Amino acid sequence: MLFEFLKQTVTKETIVASISSSPYLLAKAGLLTGKKYTVGLPMEAIEKLCVFDKEKYCDDLVVQDGNIITARGRGFIEFGIRLGKALNLEFDEGWYEG
């Protein structure tokens, strides 16, 4: 049911952001097909789940391919900044610094 919801609601105009292991849900729904991505799972898990295109995997902390932003958990600050920019929000990118 969740995967059908994702398939029906995600369009090219929709900004989709997924962090840590949650890109698995996007992959399972087929939304990462043909897209570069990253995920907070070890390569063994990526291979075992059989829903990820290993050729499109990127080792960066945050990856944006079109309207889809994926990140590994430790990239949460860069992820937030990238999402804010994708949503055209005005904010201080250095708010988290001392």
Side-chain angles (χ1 to χ4, degrees):
M1 188 163 187
L2 172 64
F3 304 115
E4 287 304 315
F5 171 78
L6 289 171
K7 289 178 192 178
Q8 291 175 8
T9 57
V10 174
T11 66
K12 290 181 181 178
E13 294 80 32
T14 307
I15 300 298
V16 179
S18 186
I19 190 168
S20 191
S21 60
S22 69
Y24 165 74
L25 300 173
L26 300 179
K28 180 84 173 167
L31 298 173
L32 292 184
T33 302
K35 302 271 189 183
K36 291 189 307 183
Y37 70 92
T38 194
V39 61
L41 295 170
M43 191 52 69
E44 299 80 33
I46 291 171
E47 292 171 355
K48 185 176 181 179
L49 290 168
C50 298
V51 295
F52 290 100
D53 179 354
K54 291 187 298 186
E55 298 299 316
K56 294 291 185 173
Y57 174 79
C58 185
D59 200 37
D60 295 343
L61 284 178
V62 179
V63 175
Q64 182 169 359
D65 190 335
N67 64 320
I68 297 181
I69 302 168
T70 54
R72 291 188 280 149
R74 62 188 171 119
F76 65 94
I77 293 172
E78 185 181 336
F79 175 75
I81 291 170
R82 185 79 61 95
L83 177 57
K85 288 180 177 181
L87 295 173
N88 296 313
L89 301 176
E90 291 185 26
F91 60 95
D92 176 8
E93 289 184 39
W95 65 268
Y96 58 89
E97 296 174 0

